Amino acid sequence: MNWKKNFKNVFVAIGISFLLIIALFPFYWLAFSSVKVLTDLFEPNVIFPWETTLTLFNYEFAVTKAYPSLISLFLNSLYISILSVVLTLTIATFGAYAVARMKFRGKALITNSILLIYTFPGIIMIIPLFVLASKLGFAGNMTGLAIAYLAQTVPVALYMMAGYFQTIPAEIEEAALIDGCSRFEVIRKITLPLSLPTIASISLFIFMIVWNEYLFARTFLLTLSSDQFTLAIGLARKTAHLADFGAYLASAMILLTPVIILYLLAEKYMVKGLTAGAVKG
Amino acid sequence: MATIRFEKVVKDFGAPEPAVKDFSMEIPDQEFLVVVGPSGCGKSTILRMLAGLETPTNGNILIDDQIVNFLSPKQRDIAMVFQSYALYPHKNVRDNLSFPLMVSKVPKEEIRSRVLETAEIMGISELLDRKPKELSGGQRQRVALGRAIIRKPRVFLMDEPLSNLDAKLRVKMRAELKKLQRRLKITTLYVTHDQVEAMTMGDRIVIVDNGVLQQVGSPHDIFYNPVNKFVAGFIGSPPMNFNNVKLVEQQGKIWLSFFAMKLPVPERLEKAILSVKDEGLIMGIRPQSLIFEPTELPTDYIIPAEITVAQPRGTEVDTEFKIGEAYFMAVFPPEQDYEPGMQFKVGFDPKSIYLFHKETGKTLY
């Protein structure tokens, strides 16, 4: 029995390592290359860090020379992403609470439409959204972009959140009502604190969607000057006519870093949040 | 300090039958009232309407002569203990207890002293820093009760608060709850499906079936004077024996006949019988009123029988026997061996024979 189990474990470990190497190698190559000296950049035999001289020159060069607006692009992306997360969470919380807890006419229709919108690819929505946004006068600025993202992010967030709310026993909320809370206080003091794991994972998820998004950003920010772009479109645009690979790799690392940091911070919630809906609370 | 009144309360969830129909009753101040009935009978709905978690479709609910139909739970000054305890999982015991006080903005100092006092009463002083998931069922129960009493509410509502506890603890908590209620003198509405709980705890009991109030009364009253067959069968363990009987006239007397056996109609029921025409009757007798080899009963009430199953319970033996094809459950004293197949004489205590209309189920008096 025991040797069988060990045997199995060995196989599992080999399988996982294999997948990990495939998944992580490009990232390793990117991270490693971004700190290589320029001369080793195209040297295929330099695979390990100790075979070259490590330097932060690429980063310095990227920020100061190659992409002088990198910092402001970074801040733009951060602003749009955070704004999107906050707006999405605010709207999705109330929507999800209504879907999960309230009884109202047309609830099934609304719930199903949310799921339906969730299945629309962004490309279907972009033109009507852009037309709508221009008519309302918020196309062509970052806040407008963050609002446009809601069309993509709210359905996902609402759906995930409603699923989680449903796992919270209604009796706990009723107890709070009887203890003297209003419905709004119940949400604030009981439901939301209990939903922190899900909120963390949804936030990260939304942040990642918005941070890496290209199509909407490209369309909505088209008319602005290049230092008002998001990081993703800004980098892509520059790279099209700039062949400084060292700086490009360093910038890509900068693009990746916030997502990685956030993931590490939220990881333990992430696992909880993604599994919470599946298991009975 | 509160009296509660239900006036023709109806709750209709849109199902073919309303969950609660024309429910009227009054609960005097400081009473411990138990609402009991089978699951799905509407008893929890009654409680939830009083709590303000459901709104009555029709009729009025009054607390201290004020109509509360549309008041939020917050405005009613009630506390409730749920079957699942419904503790706040993200707060420790101290914060669970103080939550109702925090919400109503009681000063910090007072909250602290009341938490300590309540924890002392409930015997949970050691547990104040623990989270609910680190507590046993019994401890959670105490915290839930503590959270209810800390506010000194006008009314206590309890929705099957003991049904998640193991049997031993349940018996202990029954007594404790009753003592606590006596001490705090708060009007209490207690919902349960367990008739033993109802009998042991209630000052009065309300029996509900199918959303309709069947009977209100003291445990003694309900046990000895059930108004219908449902109440008679619901209260008492093991349940009352029921048999279809026909009225037969012989030797100038009226008899209850079943399976070629007959018993004389007890004297106290002779008048009531006169109103009964052809429709059949149901005879009811409690297992405790069937006597093994009786010595003091009139001989007409003694019938030969045969034991089919015996289940000793220590102080008594639940024994099933048959008379002809009619099966009865009886509670016999333990001094005797009751072997299946054993022939014996069973006595029907005429004082404890009940008769019910077959159609309406109403008790004949």
Side-chain angles (χ1 to χ4, degrees), chain B residues 42 46 51 90 143 152 195 200 274 327 332:
Chain B
I46 293 166
H90 58 303
V143 177
K152 304 181 177 149
Q195 49 99 9
T200 49
L274 298 176
Y327 286 81
F332 286 157

Side-chain angles (χ1 to χ4, degrees), chain B residues 59-71:
Chain B
N60 287 325
I61 298 174
L62 296 91
I63 301 178
D64 282 337
D65 297 323
Q66 181 204 5
I67 295 180
V68 296
N69 286 20
F70 298 105
L71 294 189

Side-chain angles (χ1 to χ4, degrees), chain B residues 100-355:
Chain B
L101 300 180
M102 302 259 277
V103 174
S104 47
K105 307 217 161 54
V106 173
K108 280 231 168 68
E109 264 312 297
E110 195 188 332
I111 291 182
R112 248 182 36 160
S113 67
R114 265 162 79 176
V115 165
L116 293 179
E117 181 194 84
T118 306
E120 184 80 37
I121 295 174
M122 297 313 305
I124 47 174
S125 305
E126 322 283 272
L127 309 172
L128 285 177
D129 294 315
R130 297 226 198 136
K131 287 267 176 71
K133 63 166 184 259
E134 301 160 343
L135 303 176
S136 70
Q139 290 168 332
R140 285 180 204 186
Q141 171 70 63
R142 282 163 190 282
V143 177
L145 276 170
R147 189 176 66 185
I149 67 170
I150 197 166
R151 250 180 40 209
K152 304 181 177 149
R154 290 197 291 176
V155 182
F156 265 154
L157 306 177
M158 305 199 185
D159 191 0
E160 312 233 2
L162 303 185
S163 51
N164 282 0
L165 300 179
D166 62 65
K168 217 170 151 187
L169 197 55
R170 202 179 312 159
V171 175
K172 191 175 156 223
M173 283 308 285
R174 255 189 239 154
E176 270 194 43
L177 257 179
K178 179 115 202 210
K179 258 193 281 176
L180 189 69
Q181 197 265 346
R182 284 274 144 77
R183 180 169 155 191
L184 301 169
K185 299 190 167 80
I186 293 173
T187 316
T188 301
L189 202 72
Y190 185 106
V191 163
T192 179
H193 66 272
D194 179 349
Q195 49 99 9
V196 181
E197 239 169 63
M199 292 294 282
T200 49
M201 295 178 77
D203 295 333
R204 285 195 306 159
I205 299 176
V206 185
I207 307 217
V208 182
D209 184 37
N210 247 326
V212 177
L213 185 149
Q214 306 286 324
Q215 187 171 2
V216 192
S218 68
H220 182 276
D221 203 31
I222 299 240
F223 190 82
Y224 289 104
N225 303 310
V227 296
N228 58 29
K229 180 172 171 267
F230 175 81
V231 174
F234 190 76
I235 296 290
S237 166
M240 188 183 270
N241 297 292
F242 294 112
N243 283 86
N244 290 325
V245 290
K246 283 203 176 98
L247 296 176
V248 190
E249 211 173 329
Q250 265 176 26
Q251 303 150 4
K253 267 206 260 184
I254 302 174
W255 302 72
L256 305 165
S257 104
F258 60 101
F259 292 105
M261 299 290 159
K262 58 190 192 331
L263 292 166
V265 171
E267 242 173 77
R268 70 186 160 90
L269 293 174
E270 274 171 0
K271 262 193 192 145
I273 285 292
L274 298 176
S275 67
V276 180
K277 304 243 164 61
D278 270 349
E279 76 251 51
L281 287 175
I282 294 170
M283 177 184 75
I285 185 156
R286 293 202 185 276
Q288 292 81 357
S289 309
L290 292 162
I291 305 156
F292 183 79
E293 296 288 348
T295 49
E296 289 165 3
L297 282 183
T299 49
D300 282 345
Y301 288 103
I302 301 173
I303 293 178
E306 179 189 331
I307 288 178
T308 47
V309 184
Q311 302 166 300
R313 284 203 291 153
T315 54
E316 48 209 14
V317 183
D318 292 354
T319 313
E320 191 194 64
F321 63 84
K322 63 177 180 178
I323 302 172
E325 285 305 305
Y327 286 81
F328 289 85
M329 188 58 125
V331 176
F332 286 157
E335 289 78 21
Q336 167 85 36
D337 280 335
Y338 305 95
E339 293 295 330
M342 185 177 127
Q343 305 289 327
F344 73 108
K345 289 205 165 59
V346 64
F348 287 70
D349 184 352
K351 291 198 301 293
S352 312
I353 292 176
Y354 297 89
L355 289 175

Side-chain angles (χ1 to χ4, degrees), chain A residues 3 14 44 54 105 107 128 131 141 149 170 200 227 262:
Chain A
W3 71 266
I14 291 174
L54 300 180
R105 204 180 282 266
K107 177 170 152 177
V131 173
N141 70 60
Y149 278 138
D227 62 343
L262 270 182

